[in-house]
Amino acid sequence: MQISGALRVGRAAGFTLLELLIVLVILGLLIGYVAPNYFKQEDKSKIKTARAQIKAFEDALDQYRLDVGRYPTTEQGLAALTAQPQGESRWQGPYLKKAVPADPWGNPYQYRSPGEHGEVDILSFGKDGQPGGTDLAADITNW
């Protein structure tokens, strides 16, 4: 009677170089397929985050306007939502719980009052950090 699965005498257990190369090729193909899709999702989530932050700024700016009677000037900027501007006696803030964050790409949000597209313009230049752009590099705005 012969026992199946017994170790063969004279051959070391392990993987051959060919088997390791095949595994590395398969892993490379999987990474090549999955990585681009992952990074697209990451960029899309950053865009959604920027839109949500801009919406939160708009809500805080509306509360500021109710208290002070006008929006902060361009010079005062979004910082007026967390720190009382000099000479603003009717300021009842802070209007944001934390300091104004940078956009998801690490750049400051742009703020204009009066805006070119509304009473206030808030925008992020997007992934490329430059005005304009298309697709993932497009500006994210409140208009």
Side-chain angles (χ1 to χ4, degrees), residues 14-88:
F15 298 106
T16 66
L17 182 59
L18 181 60
E19 291 169 330
L20 290 174
L21 287 174
I22 289 172
V23 169
L24 288 175
V25 167
I26 291 170
L27 286 173
L29 291 171
L30 287 173
I31 290 171
Y33 178 72
V34 172
N37 292 330
Y38 170 76
F39 288 116
K40 278 185 189 175
Q41 293 303 319
E42 184 180 12
D43 285 335
K44 287 180 184 177
S45 69
K46 285 184 177 184
I47 292 169
K48 287 180 183 178
T49 299
R51 286 188 179 134
Q53 287 176 333
I54 288 172
K55 175 67 174 133
F57 297 152
E58 285 183 307
D59 293 344
L61 286 164
D62 288 340
Q63 186 62 47
Y64 179 100
R65 181 180 180 204
L66 287 173
D67 290 345
V68 176
R70 60 170 181 75
Y71 289 111
T73 64
T74 301
E75 293 75 28
Q76 292 170 326
L78 294 173
L81 298 175
T82 57
Q84 183 173 1
Q86 192 172 11
E88 293 294 348

Side-chain angles (χ1 to χ4, degrees), residues 1 3 8-9 36 43 125:
M1 179 185 232
I3 300 174
R8 292 184 227 159
V9 178
D43 285 335
F125 288 135

